[in-house]
Amino acid sequence: MVLMTAILELQDVRYQIGNAQILRGIDMDVRAGELLALAGPNGAGKSTLLGVMAGDLKPTGGQALLNGRPVTAVPVRELARRRAVMLQESRLSFGFSVADVVRMGRAALPAGAIEDDAAVAQALEACDALDLADRKFPTLSGGEKARVSFARTLVQEADVLLLDEPTAALDIRHQELVMGLARRQADGGKAVVAVLHDLSLAAAWADRLALMGEGRLVDCGPVAEVATGPQLSALYHHPVGVEPDPVTGVPVVIPRRGVARCPVC
Ligand code: ADP
Ligand code: MG
């Protein structure tokens, strides 16, 4: 199912802290039924932009609309029904069990939902983390924490999933697992935004790629059009090649090594 309704609309979004302009006027939309990958160098403003989309950060200029309403005006409880957020670093440091951490994702759902052990178990199983259910969350490895945090976003049943580097700590199998699940959420009609550093993962799983640099949106469009060698080389200040996978034809992004200078940066 491909729905092309814009759920999230960013209009000239700016975010400034003191004199530092973190976001410098971002216009983009996120549509139901798509997986949008967000990439760019460290410090480009990706997490800040995700925070604005989530309604956790109020833009200092412009606006972020969720279903046509400023996201910061949506009451907290309703917001929890509308968007699920997976933060770059898990701030859950108390001694909750894994099952409880996932269950908390259902706190804003109608009464009774939080006792839905089957939903929790199903999400953990999908993330290959059911065997961790009784462990204390802080004792997990980084990759295990990431899978549990992702499971938590799944049980929230929100229309919009905002995932900040969901695959950064994962091994290859679990990267593919999580991206496959994110893909399925989009195919089911959700809007999914995932910050990814691995552009080959973005090329394989995303519909569109948004590239950010120094607080600006550099490009946004179908992955094949946006992920080009010259554009990525210029953005990352490192020579990058893009080649089709010999088996699937899907673009693979390859950092070039041993090249003295990037030809375009
Ligand atoms: P990304 O996720 O793309 O790596 P961030 O959105 O986390 O980037 O940060 C963008 C820039 O804003 C970085 O240079 C970061 O240091 C800066 N920044 C983010 N939050 C703050 C803050 N609270 N105070 C000062 N600078 C900040
Ligand atoms: Mg970040």
Side-chain angles (χ1 to χ4, degrees), residues 7-10 13 23 26-30 36-38 45-59 63-66 69-72 74 79 82-85 160-163 192-195 208 210 212 217:
I7 291 193
L8 262 172
E9 288 173 85
L10 305 183
V13 163
L23 300 176
I26 306 264
D27 290 287
M28 67 187 288
D29 58 20
V30 186
L36 175 73
L38 185 58
K46 305 178 298 293
S47 294
T48 306
L49 189 66
L50 221 65
V52 169
M53 289 179 180
D56 293 334
L57 298 177
K58 188 173 165 52
Q63 56 180 358
L65 303 175
L66 179 65
R69 265 191 304 167
V71 61
T72 45
V74 180
L79 208 50
R82 300 262 169 253
R83 97 288 183 261
V85 185
V160 179
L161 273 67
L162 303 171
L163 312 171
V192 184
V193 182
V195 177
R208 290 194 299 156
M212 287 184 71
L217 190 64

mmCIF file of all heavy atoms in Angstrom, residues 7-10 13 23 26-30 36-38 45-59 63-66 69-72 74 79 82-85 160-163 192-195 208 210 212 217:
data_model
loop_
_atom_site.group_PDB
_atom_site.id
_atom_site.type_symbol
_atom_site.label_atom_id
_atom_site.label_comp_id
_atom_site.label_asym_id
_atom_site.label_seq_id
_atom_site.Cartn_x
_atom_site.Cartn_y
_atom_site.Cartn_z
ATOM 1 N N ILE A 7 2.264 13.409 6.395
ATOM 2 C CA ILE A 7 1.872 13.392 7.808
ATOM 3 C C ILE A 7 2.615 14.499 8.547
ATOM 4 O O ILE A 7 2.069 15.203 9.375
ATOM 5 C CB ILE A 7 2.205 12.026 8.452
ATOM 6 C CG1 ILE A 7 1.295 10.932 7.891
ATOM 7 C CG2 ILE A 7 2.055 12.098 9.955
ATOM 8 C CD1 ILE A 7 1.341 9.648 8.679
ATOM 9 N N LEU A 8 3.887 14.635 8.206
ATOM 10 C CA LEU A 8 4.743 15.654 8.834
ATOM 11 C C LEU A 8 5.156 16.659 7.771
ATOM 12 O O LEU A 8 5.593 16.266 6.685
ATOM 13 C CB LEU A 8 6.013 14.975 9.351
ATOM 14 C CG LEU A 8 6.109 14.579 10.801
ATOM 15 C CD1 LEU A 8 7.374 13.762 11.015
ATOM 16 C CD2 LEU A 8 6.120 15.785 11.721
ATOM 17 N N GLU A 9 5.027 17.912 8.091
ATOM 18 C CA GLU A 9 5.487 18.954 7.162
ATOM 19 C C GLU A 9 6.396 19.917 7.919
ATOM 20 O O GLU A 9 5.982 20.471 8.950
ATOM 21 C CB GLU A 9 4.296 19.741 6.616
ATOM 22 C CG GLU A 9 3.451 18.988 5.620
ATOM 23 C CD GLU A 9 2.210 19.792 5.279
ATOM 24 O OE1 GLU A 9 2.279 20.650 4.392
ATOM 25 O OE2 GLU A 9 1.189 19.562 5.945
ATOM 26 N N LEU A 10 7.578 20.091 7.399
ATOM 27 C CA LEU A 10 8.505 21.056 7.989
ATOM 28 C C LEU A 10 8.553 22.267 7.074
ATOM 29 O O LEU A 10 8.797 22.137 5.872
ATOM 30 C CB LEU A 10 9.904 20.457 8.126
ATOM 31 C CG LEU A 10 10.008 19.140 8.886
ATOM 32 C CD1 LEU A 10 11.461 18.703 8.997
ATOM 33 C CD2 LEU A 10 9.397 19.267 10.271
ATOM 34 N N VAL A 13 12.048 25.343 8.882
ATOM 35 C CA VAL A 13 12.362 25.073 10.291
ATOM 36 C C VAL A 13 13.781 25.550 10.627
ATOM 37 O O VAL A 13 14.747 25.198 9.949
ATOM 38 C CB VAL A 13 12.211 23.570 10.615
ATOM 39 C CG1 VAL A 13 12.911 23.215 11.923
ATOM 40 C CG2 VAL A 13 10.748 23.187 10.675
ATOM 41 N N LEU A 23 19.787 24.462 12.849
ATOM 42 C CA LEU A 23 18.973 24.206 11.647
ATOM 43 C C LEU A 23 18.712 25.553 10.987
ATOM 44 O O LEU A 23 18.279 26.498 11.641
ATOM 45 C CB LEU A 23 17.657 23.511 12.027
ATOM 46 C CG LEU A 23 17.782 22.159 12.736
ATOM 47 C CD1 LEU A 23 16.403 21.631 13.149
ATOM 48 C CD2 LEU A 23 18.502 21.129 11.856
ATOM 49 N N ILE A 26 14.711 24.477 7.094
ATOM 50 C CA ILE A 26 14.492 23.163 6.464
ATOM 51 C C ILE A 26 13.034 23.061 6.002
ATOM 52 O O ILE A 26 12.111 23.250 6.790
ATOM 53 C CB ILE A 26 14.766 22.015 7.465
ATOM 54 C CG1 ILE A 26 16.154 22.163 8.081
ATOM 55 C CG2 ILE A 26 14.540 20.653 6.828
ATOM 56 C CD1 ILE A 26 17.248 21.401 7.468
ATOM 57 N N ASP A 27 12.875 22.760 4.730
ATOM 58 C CA ASP A 27 11.551 22.481 4.174
ATOM 59 C C ASP A 27 11.533 21.035 3.706
ATOM 60 O O ASP A 27 12.336 20.658 2.845
ATOM 61 C CB ASP A 27 11.268 23.370 2.955
ATOM 62 C CG ASP A 27 11.061 24.821 3.352
ATOM 63 O OD1 ASP A 27 10.013 25.120 3.924
ATOM 64 O OD2 ASP A 27 11.974 25.639 3.089
ATOM 65 N N MET A 28 10.677 20.249 4.260
ATOM 66 C CA MET A 28 10.516 18.876 3.755
ATOM 67 C C MET A 28 9.217 18.294 4.311
ATOM 68 O O MET A 28 8.622 18.846 5.231
ATOM 69 C CB MET A 28 11.715 17.987 4.126
ATOM 70 C CG MET A 28 11.886 17.708 5.598
ATOM 71 S SD MET A 28 13.425 16.827 5.958
ATOM 72 C CE MET A 28 13.051 15.215 5.332
ATOM 73 N N ASP A 29 8.788 17.201 3.709
ATOM 74 C CA ASP A 29 7.631 16.521 4.282
ATOM 75 C C ASP A 29 7.926 15.031 4.406
ATOM 76 O O ASP A 29 8.860 14.512 3.800
ATOM 77 C CB ASP A 29 6.362 16.760 3.454
ATOM 78 C CG ASP A 29 6.507 16.321 2.014
ATOM 79 O OD1 ASP A 29 7.400 15.500 1.734
ATOM 80 O OD2 ASP A 29 5.729 16.776 1.163
ATOM 81 N N VAL A 30 7.165 14.394 5.244
ATOM 82 C CA VAL A 30 7.275 12.956 5.438
ATOM 83 C C VAL A 30 5.888 12.374 5.209
ATOM 84 O O VAL A 30 4.907 12.890 5.744
ATOM 85 C CB VAL A 30 7.780 12.611 6.855
ATOM 86 C CG1 VAL A 30 8.020 11.114 6.958
ATOM 87 C CG2 VAL A 30 9.043 13.379 7.192
ATOM 88 N N LEU A 36 11.842 7.153 4.970
ATOM 89 C CA LEU A 36 12.739 8.233 4.584
ATOM 90 C C LEU A 36 14.019 8.105 5.388
ATOM 91 O O LEU A 36 13.979 8.094 6.623
ATOM 92 C CB LEU A 36 12.074 9.584 4.878
ATOM 93 C CG LEU A 36 12.921 10.832 4.635
ATOM 94 C CD1 LEU A 36 13.091 11.087 3.147
ATOM 95 C CD2 LEU A 36 12.285 12.050 5.300
ATOM 96 N N ALA A 37 15.140 7.972 4.698
ATOM 97 C CA ALA A 37 16.430 7.920 5.396
ATOM 98 C C ALA A 37 16.985 9.334 5.475
ATOM 99 O O ALA A 37 16.877 10.111 4.526
ATOM 100 C CB ALA A 37 17.404 7.018 4.645
ATOM 101 N N LEU A 38 17.577 9.646 6.622
ATOM 102 C CA LEU A 38 18.158 10.967 6.853
ATOM 103 C C LEU A 38 19.642 10.748 7.141
ATOM 104 O O LEU A 38 19.999 9.999 8.058
ATOM 105 C CB LEU A 38 17.441 11.600 8.050
ATOM 106 C CG LEU A 38 17.751 13.021 8.470
ATOM 107 C CD1 LEU A 38 17.508 14.001 7.325
ATOM 108 C CD2 LEU A 38 16.866 13.400 9.667
ATOM 109 N N GLY A 45 22.975 18.150 12.072
ATOM 110 C CA GLY A 45 21.684 18.596 12.610
ATOM 111 C C GLY A 45 20.599 17.538 12.522
ATOM 112 O O GLY A 45 19.421 17.824 12.769
ATOM 113 N N LYS A 46 20.981 16.302 12.239
ATOM 114 C CA LYS A 46 19.990 15.235 12.033
ATOM 115 C C LYS A 46 19.178 14.974 13.305
ATOM 116 O O LYS A 46 17.948 14.903 13.262
ATOM 117 C CB LYS A 46 20.695 13.943 11.575
ATOM 118 C CG LYS A 46 21.560 14.115 10.340
ATOM 119 C CD LYS A 46 22.278 12.843 9.952
ATOM 120 C CE LYS A 46 23.253 12.323 11.003
ATOM 121 N NZ LYS A 46 24.429 13.191 11.234
ATOM 122 N N SER A 47 19.871 14.800 14.423
ATOM 123 C CA SER A 47 19.151 14.500 15.671
ATOM 124 C C SER A 47 18.293 15.685 16.089
ATOM 125 O O SER A 47 17.179 15.500 16.601
ATOM 126 C CB SER A 47 20.140 14.158 16.793
ATOM 127 O OG SER A 47 20.807 12.949 16.501
ATOM 128 N N THR A 48 18.804 16.887 15.857
ATOM 129 C CA THR A 48 18.014 18.075 16.192
ATOM 130 C C THR A 48 16.748 18.104 15.346
ATOM 131 O O THR A 48 15.654 18.377 15.858
ATOM 132 C CB THR A 48 18.857 19.344 15.956
ATOM 133 O OG1 THR A 48 20.087 19.220 16.686
ATOM 134 C CG2 THR A 48 18.120 20.588 16.413
ATOM 135 N N LEU A 49 16.897 17.808 14.073
ATOM 136 C CA LEU A 49 15.728 17.802 13.186
ATOM 137 C C LEU A 49 14.716 16.744 13.631
ATOM 138 O O LEU A 49 13.499 16.984 13.641
ATOM 139 C CB LEU A 49 16.152 17.554 11.734
ATOM 140 C CG LEU A 49 15.037 17.750 10.709
ATOM 141 C CD1 LEU A 49 14.607 19.221 10.663
ATOM 142 C CD2 LEU A 49 15.465 17.304 9.316
ATOM 143 N N LEU A 50 15.220 15.591 14.019
ATOM 144 C CA LEU A 50 14.322 14.535 14.503
ATOM 145 C C LEU A 50 13.597 14.996 15.772
ATOM 146 O O LEU A 50 12.406 14.710 15.953
ATOM 147 C CB LEU A 50 15.129 13.259 14.760
ATOM 148 C CG LEU A 50 14.482 11.951 14.343
ATOM 149 C CD1 LEU A 50 14.290 11.869 12.840
ATOM 150 C CD2 LEU A 50 15.316 10.749 14.797
ATOM 151 N N GLY A 51 14.327 15.705 16.631
ATOM 152 C CA GLY A 51 13.730 16.253 17.855
ATOM 153 C C GLY A 51 12.607 17.239 17.540
ATOM 154 O O GLY A 51 11.581 17.273 18.231
ATOM 155 N N VAL A 52 12.810 18.039 16.500
ATOM 156 C CA VAL A 52 11.767 18.983 16.072
ATOM 157 C C VAL A 52 10.566 18.215 15.521
ATOM 158 O O VAL A 52 9.414 18.509 15.845
ATOM 159 C CB VAL A 52 12.324 19.973 15.021
ATOM 160 C CG1 VAL A 52 11.191 20.774 14.385
ATOM 161 C CG2 VAL A 52 13.348 20.906 15.662
ATOM 162 N N MET A 53 10.846 17.197 14.700
ATOM 163 C CA MET A 53 9.750 16.378 14.153
ATOM 164 C C MET A 53 8.942 15.734 15.280
ATOM 165 O O MET A 53 7.724 15.598 15.198
ATOM 166 C CB MET A 53 10.303 15.265 13.258
ATOM 167 C CG MET A 53 10.862 15.721 11.941
ATOM 168 S SD MET A 53 11.473 14.258 11.052
ATOM 169 C CE MET A 53 12.079 15.005 9.550
ATOM 170 N N ALA A 54 9.657 15.326 16.332
ATOM 171 C CA ALA A 54 9.020 14.617 17.446
ATOM 172 C C ALA A 54 8.220 15.553 18.338
ATOM 173 O O ALA A 54 7.418 15.104 19.157
ATOM 174 C CB ALA A 54 10.085 13.897 18.278
ATOM 175 N N GLY A 55 8.461 16.866 18.205
ATOM 176 C CA GLY A 55 7.819 17.820 19.107
ATOM 177 C C GLY A 55 8.577 17.963 20.411
ATOM 178 O O GLY A 55 8.118 18.630 21.335
ATOM 179 N N ASP A 56 9.740 17.346 20.507
ATOM 180 C CA ASP A 56 10.557 17.464 21.720
ATOM 181 C C ASP A 56 11.331 18.784 21.734
ATOM 182 O O ASP A 56 11.703 19.273 22.794
ATOM 183 C CB ASP A 56 11.543 16.292 21.823
ATOM 184 C CG ASP A 56 10.826 14.967 22.046
ATOM 185 O OD1 ASP A 56 9.705 14.992 22.588
ATOM 186 O OD2 ASP A 56 11.369 13.916 21.654
ATOM 187 N N LEU A 57 11.615 19.335 20.563
ATOM 188 C CA LEU A 57 12.295 20.624 20.459
ATOM 189 C C LEU A 57 11.386 21.582 19.707
ATOM 190 O O LEU A 57 10.843 21.226 18.653
ATOM 191 C CB LEU A 57 13.619 20.474 19.679
ATOM 192 C CG LEU A 57 14.685 19.564 20.273
ATOM 193 C CD1 LEU A 57 15.884 19.479 19.324
ATOM 194 C CD2 LEU A 57 15.125 20.066 21.645
ATOM 195 N N LYS A 58 11.230 22.772 20.245
ATOM 196 C CA LYS A 58 10.388 23.775 19.578
ATOM 197 C C LYS A 58 11.273 24.583 18.645
ATOM 198 O O LYS A 58 12.276 25.166 19.089
ATOM 199 C CB LYS A 58 9.758 24.678 20.635
ATOM 200 C CG LYS A 58 8.714 25.643 20.091
ATOM 201 C CD LYS A 58 8.039 26.363 21.271
ATOM 202 C CE LYS A 58 7.256 27.591 20.849
ATOM 203 N NZ LYS A 58 6.294 27.430 19.800
ATOM 204 N N PRO A 59 10.943 24.616 17.362
ATOM 205 C CA PRO A 59 11.798 25.377 16.453
ATOM 206 C C PRO A 59 11.829 26.854 16.838
ATOM 207 O O PRO A 59 10.828 27.373 17.328
ATOM 208 C CB PRO A 59 11.143 25.186 15.073
ATOM 209 C CG PRO A 59 9.902 24.419 15.269
ATOM 210 C CD PRO A 59 9.803 23.995 16.698
ATOM 211 N N GLN A 63 7.942 26.213 11.198
ATOM 212 C CA GLN A 63 7.098 25.310 11.984
ATOM 213 C C GLN A 63 7.145 23.873 11.481
ATOM 214 O O GLN A 63 7.451 23.608 10.312
ATOM 215 C CB GLN A 63 5.665 25.804 12.047
ATOM 216 C CG GLN A 63 5.010 26.023 10.697
ATOM 217 C CD GLN A 63 3.576 26.520 10.859
ATOM 218 O OE1 GLN A 63 3.071 26.668 11.971
ATOM 219 N NE2 GLN A 63 2.901 26.748 9.749
ATOM 220 N N ALA A 64 6.853 22.980 12.406
ATOM 221 C CA ALA A 64 6.734 21.555 12.089
ATOM 222 C C ALA A 64 5.288 21.163 12.336
ATOM 223 O O ALA A 64 4.770 21.335 13.444
ATOM 224 C CB ALA A 64 7.663 20.743 12.983
ATOM 225 N N LEU A 65 4.626 20.691 11.293
ATOM 226 C CA LEU A 65 3.214 20.337 11.400
ATOM 227 C C LEU A 65 3.044 18.824 11.389
ATOM 228 O O LEU A 65 3.636 18.127 10.553
ATOM 229 C CB LEU A 65 2.427 20.929 10.222
ATOM 230 C CG LEU A 65 2.513 22.441 10.041
ATOM 231 C CD1 LEU A 65 1.781 22.872 8.771
ATOM 232 C CD2 LEU A 65 1.931 23.168 11.259
ATOM 233 N N LEU A 66 2.258 18.338 12.329
ATOM 234 C CA LEU A 66 1.908 16.921 12.376
ATOM 235 C C LEU A 66 0.416 16.836 12.074
ATOM 236 O O LEU A 66 -0.385 17.419 12.818
ATOM 237 C CB LEU A 66 2.229 16.351 13.764
ATOM 238 C CG LEU A 66 1.910 14.885 14.014
ATOM 239 C CD1 LEU A 66 2.754 13.972 13.142
ATOM 240 C CD2 LEU A 66 2.137 14.543 15.489
ATOM 241 N N ARG A 69 -1.161 20.255 12.218
ATOM 242 C CA ARG A 69 -1.121 21.042 13.463
ATOM 243 C C ARG A 69 0.316 21.189 13.938
ATOM 244 O O ARG A 69 1.081 20.220 13.845
ATOM 245 C CB ARG A 69 -1.872 20.292 14.574
ATOM 246 C CG ARG A 69 -3.319 20.708 14.723
ATOM 247 C CD ARG A 69 -3.894 20.126 16.004
ATOM 248 N NE ARG A 69 -3.769 18.684 16.074
ATOM 249 C CZ ARG A 69 -3.968 17.964 17.182
ATOM 250 N NH1 ARG A 69 -4.301 18.548 18.305
ATOM 251 N NH2 ARG A 69 -3.837 16.651 17.159
ATOM 252 N N PRO A 70 0.694 22.357 14.474
ATOM 253 C CA PRO A 70 2.054 22.475 15.015
ATOM 254 C C PRO A 70 2.298 21.358 16.033
ATOM 255 O O PRO A 70 1.502 21.173 16.960
ATOM 256 C CB PRO A 70 2.063 23.847 15.690
ATOM 257 C CG PRO A 70 0.996 24.621 14.984
ATOM 258 C CD PRO A 70 -0.065 23.610 14.623
ATOM 259 N N VAL A 71 3.376 20.624 15.825
ATOM 260 C CA VAL A 71 3.589 19.424 16.645
ATOM 261 C C VAL A 71 3.762 19.770 18.121
ATOM 262 O O VAL A 71 3.360 19.002 19.000
ATOM 263 C CB VAL A 71 4.766 18.586 16.082
ATOM 264 C CG1 VAL A 71 6.060 19.348 16.097
ATOM 265 C CG2 VAL A 71 4.894 17.267 16.801
ATOM 266 N N THR A 72 4.308 20.968 18.385
ATOM 267 C CA THR A 72 4.502 21.346 19.789
ATOM 268 C C THR A 72 3.174 21.716 20.465
ATOM 269 O O THR A 72 3.125 21.858 21.683
ATOM 270 C CB THR A 72 5.483 22.534 19.905
ATOM 271 O OG1 THR A 72 5.148 23.513 18.924
ATOM 272 C CG2 THR A 72 6.913 22.076 19.710
ATOM 273 N N VAL A 74 0.492 19.781 20.103
ATOM 274 C CA VAL A 74 -0.241 18.531 20.325
ATOM 275 C C VAL A 74 -0.012 18.088 21.772
ATOM 276 O O VAL A 74 1.136 18.004 22.220
ATOM 277 C CB VAL A 74 0.239 17.429 19.347
ATOM 278 C CG1 VAL A 74 -0.517 16.130 19.583
ATOM 279 C CG2 VAL A 74 0.078 17.891 17.902
ATOM 280 N N LEU A 79 0.406 13.045 21.531
ATOM 281 C CA LEU A 79 1.671 12.944 20.799
ATOM 282 C C LEU A 79 2.236 11.523 20.869
ATOM 283 O O LEU A 79 2.742 10.977 19.888
ATOM 284 C CB LEU A 79 2.669 13.947 21.401
ATOM 285 C CG LEU A 79 3.761 14.514 20.515
ATOM 286 C CD1 LEU A 79 3.217 15.049 19.211
ATOM 287 C CD2 LEU A 79 4.523 15.591 21.267
ATOM 288 N N ARG A 82 0.727 9.438 18.380
ATOM 289 C CA ARG A 82 0.979 9.811 16.984
ATOM 290 C C ARG A 82 2.375 9.460 16.512
ATOM 291 O O ARG A 82 2.585 9.126 15.365
ATOM 292 C CB ARG A 82 0.761 11.317 16.790
ATOM 293 C CG ARG A 82 -0.617 11.782 17.124
ATOM 294 C CD ARG A 82 -1.485 11.925 15.891
ATOM 295 N NE ARG A 82 -2.861 12.124 16.284
ATOM 296 C CZ ARG A 82 -3.806 11.197 16.172
ATOM 297 N NH1 ARG A 82 -3.549 10.046 15.630
ATOM 298 N NH2 ARG A 82 -5.036 11.433 16.596
ATOM 299 N N ARG A 83 3.361 9.624 17.403
ATOM 300 C CA ARG A 83 4.734 9.374 16.951
ATOM 301 C C ARG A 83 5.522 8.610 18.014
ATOM 302 O O ARG A 83 5.367 8.835 19.203
ATOM 303 C CB ARG A 83 5.428 10.690 16.540
ATOM 304 C CG ARG A 83 6.308 11.375 17.548
ATOM 305 C CD ARG A 83 5.539 12.016 18.685
ATOM 306 N NE ARG A 83 6.379 12.749 19.621
ATOM 307 C CZ ARG A 83 6.795 12.257 20.787
ATOM 308 N NH1 ARG A 83 6.527 11.030 21.130
ATOM 309 N NH2 ARG A 83 7.501 12.996 21.603
ATOM 310 N N ALA A 84 6.339 7.683 17.528
ATOM 311 C CA ALA A 84 7.221 6.926 18.416
ATOM 312 C C ALA A 84 8.653 7.331 18.091
ATOM 313 O O ALA A 84 9.005 7.506 16.929
ATOM 314 C CB ALA A 84 7.039 5.429 18.191
ATOM 315 N N VAL A 85 9.445 7.511 19.136
ATOM 316 C CA VAL A 85 10.800 8.017 18.942
ATOM 317 C C VAL A 85 11.815 7.028 19.514
ATOM 318 O O VAL A 85 11.677 6.579 20.642
ATOM 319 C CB VAL A 85 10.980 9.383 19.657
ATOM 320 C CG1 VAL A 85 12.348 9.969 19.345
ATOM 321 C CG2 VAL A 85 9.874 10.353 19.267
ATOM 322 N N VAL A 160 3.749 7.589 13.105
ATOM 323 C CA VAL A 160 5.049 8.091 12.659
ATOM 324 C C VAL A 160 6.126 7.472 13.544
ATOM 325 O O VAL A 160 6.025 7.524 14.773
ATOM 326 C CB VAL A 160 5.109 9.635 12.776
ATOM 327 C CG1 VAL A 160 6.469 10.157 12.326
ATOM 328 C CG2 VAL A 160 3.988 10.289 11.980
ATOM 329 N N LEU A 161 7.137 6.885 12.926
ATOM 330 C CA LEU A 161 8.268 6.330 13.669
ATOM 331 C C LEU A 161 9.504 7.162 13.360
ATOM 332 O O LEU A 161 9.858 7.327 12.183
ATOM 333 C CB LEU A 161 8.527 4.869 13.260
ATOM 334 C CG LEU A 161 7.744 3.796 14.009
ATOM 335 C CD1 LEU A 161 6.266 3.891 13.685
ATOM 336 C CD2 LEU A 161 8.259 2.409 13.656
ATOM 337 N N LEU A 162 10.125 7.702 14.395
ATOM 338 C CA LEU A 162 11.309 8.534 14.232
ATOM 339 C C LEU A 162 12.480 7.815 14.883
ATOM 340 O O LEU A 162 12.522 7.666 16.113
ATOM 341 C CB LEU A 162 11.074 9.902 14.893
ATOM 342 C CG LEU A 162 9.848 10.665 14.366
ATOM 343 C CD1 LEU A 162 9.565 11.890 15.229
ATOM 344 C CD2 LEU A 162 10.047 11.058 12.906
ATOM 345 N N LEU A 163 13.391 7.341 14.076
ATOM 346 C CA LEU A 163 14.446 6.439 14.554
ATOM 347 C C LEU A 163 15.808 7.093 14.359
ATOM 348 O O LEU A 163 16.214 7.375 13.230
ATOM 349 C CB LEU A 163 14.386 5.122 13.759
ATOM 350 C CG LEU A 163 12.994 4.484 13.627
ATOM 351 C CD1 LEU A 163 13.040 3.316 12.628
ATOM 352 C CD2 LEU A 163 12.491 4.006 14.983
ATOM 353 N N VAL A 192 7.972 6.476 8.271
ATOM 354 C CA VAL A 192 9.162 6.100 9.041
ATOM 355 C C VAL A 192 10.327 6.984 8.612
ATOM 356 O O VAL A 192 10.629 7.085 7.422
ATOM 357 C CB VAL A 192 9.529 4.616 8.811
ATOM 358 C CG1 VAL A 192 10.701 4.213 9.704
ATOM 359 C CG2 VAL A 192 8.331 3.711 9.052
ATOM 360 N N VAL A 193 10.956 7.627 9.592
ATOM 361 C CA VAL A 193 12.169 8.400 9.334
ATOM 362 C C VAL A 193 13.290 7.730 10.101
ATOM 363 O O VAL A 193 13.161 7.493 11.303
ATOM 364 C CB VAL A 193 12.032 9.866 9.815
ATOM 365 C CG1 VAL A 193 13.296 10.654 9.489
ATOM 366 C CG2 VAL A 193 10.813 10.523 9.197
ATOM 367 N N ALA A 194 14.381 7.404 9.409
ATOM 368 C CA ALA A 194 15.512 6.747 10.073
ATOM 369 C C ALA A 194 16.798 7.492 9.745
ATOM 370 O O ALA A 194 17.141 7.660 8.574
ATOM 371 C CB ALA A 194 15.623 5.294 9.621
ATOM 372 N N VAL A 195 17.477 7.955 10.787
ATOM 373 C CA VAL A 195 18.810 8.513 10.599
ATOM 374 C C VAL A 195 19.769 7.341 10.411
ATOM 375 O O VAL A 195 19.804 6.424 11.242
ATOM 376 C CB VAL A 195 19.256 9.359 11.818
ATOM 377 C CG1 VAL A 195 20.681 9.862 11.630
ATOM 378 C CG2 VAL A 195 18.299 10.523 12.032
ATOM 379 N N ARG A 208 13.110 7.312 0.040
ATOM 380 C CA ARG A 208 13.764 8.584 -0.247
ATOM 381 C C ARG A 208 14.923 8.781 0.714
ATOM 382 O O ARG A 208 14.935 8.244 1.828
ATOM 383 C CB ARG A 208 12.778 9.747 -0.081
ATOM 384 C CG ARG A 208 11.707 9.779 -1.168
ATOM 385 C CD ARG A 208 10.982 11.125 -1.158
ATOM 386 N NE ARG A 208 10.308 11.380 0.103
ATOM 387 C CZ ARG A 208 10.003 12.601 0.556
ATOM 388 N NH1 ARG A 208 10.337 13.670 -0.134
ATOM 389 N NH2 ARG A 208 9.370 12.748 1.721
ATOM 390 N N ALA A 210 17.191 11.885 2.461
ATOM 391 C CA ALA A 210 17.398 13.311 2.713
ATOM 392 C C ALA A 210 18.828 13.480 3.204
ATOM 393 O O ALA A 210 19.242 12.805 4.147
ATOM 394 C CB ALA A 210 16.411 13.814 3.766
ATOM 395 N N MET A 212 21.644 15.981 4.822
ATOM 396 C CA MET A 212 21.823 17.240 5.540
ATOM 397 C C MET A 212 23.291 17.587 5.660
ATOM 398 O O MET A 212 24.139 16.708 5.797
ATOM 399 C CB MET A 212 21.249 17.134 6.959
ATOM 400 C CG MET A 212 19.741 17.124 6.999
ATOM 401 S SD MET A 212 19.176 17.123 8.705
ATOM 402 C CE MET A 212 19.608 18.807 9.187
ATOM 403 N N LEU A 217 19.183 21.300 4.443
ATOM 404 C CA LEU A 217 18.822 20.133 3.637
ATOM 405 C C LEU A 217 19.527 20.298 2.298
ATOM 406 O O LEU A 217 19.245 21.229 1.552
ATOM 407 C CB LEU A 217 17.299 20.087 3.465
ATOM 408 C CG LEU A 217 16.744 18.816 2.854
ATOM 409 C CD1 LEU A 217 17.001 17.612 3.755
ATOM 410 C CD2 LEU A 217 15.240 18.976 2.621
#
